[in-house]
Amino acid sequence: MRYTILLHYPEMTSDDLGADWAEGERAFDAYATALDQAGVLISAEVLQPSSSTTTVAVRDGELQVQDGPFAETKEQLGGTFVVDVPDLDAALAWAQKAPSVQWGTVEVRPSATHFENGSWTR
């Protein structure tokens, strides 16, 4: 079963983190490598800061494009890992190993469907 592990944490720059930045990169590299070597990793994304977000919506028939995050928040969605594991317990076991669980929230959400090889698949 597919699950997306969503990493929410306070938005920080490399200047905010100083020497901890390199340590964080090593920790996430080790985490991604462990998922990959276990054969469960489908994809992983580290997202740009929320300041680079562009939000698109249609309101009253009008296209609205807004630069920057949709809402001010203390935490951002910083990245995702999509895994294919047997069940929720396995997904939770991987989620608790995410480095950012120490300073943010790690959300585990099952996939309802996904697009693969030209069609939607459950």
Side-chain angles (χ1 to χ4, degrees):
M1 181 158 186
R2 287 173 93 117
Y3 290 87
T4 301
I5 299 170
L6 300 110
L7 310 176
H8 302 270
Y9 44 80
E11 195 154 17
M12 297 171 275
T13 67
S14 57
D15 291 338
D16 295 333
L17 291 171
D20 291 337
W21 185 267
E23 183 180 327
E25 285 183 333
R26 284 191 297 275
F28 275 107
D29 183 57
Y31 180 62
T33 299
L35 287 164
D36 190 46
Q37 289 177 346
V40 300
L41 183 63
I42 294 173
S43 70
E45 301 284 337
V46 175
L47 303 175
Q48 293 282 337
S50 64
S51 60
S52 64
T53 298
T54 303
T55 304
V56 179
V58 174
R59 299 291 179 260
D60 298 322
E62 298 282 329
L63 177 64
Q64 296 179 351
V65 178
Q66 176 182 332
D67 290 333
F70 178 72
E72 292 296 321
T73 181
K74 293 182 182 181
E75 288 193 338
Q76 64 154 342
L77 174 59
T80 63
F81 288 85
V82 178
V83 297
D84 189 354
V85 294
D87 54 33
L88 178 59
D89 288 338
L92 292 172
W94 281 109
Q96 71 185 6
K97 295 176 184 178
S100 60
V101 77
Q102 299 298 320
W103 63 83
T105 303
V106 177
E107 176 184 350
V108 176
R109 190 180 304 182
S111 293
T113 185
H114 63 278
F115 195 83
E116 184 176 26
N117 298 323
S119 63
W120 287 100
T121 305
R122 291 191 184 273

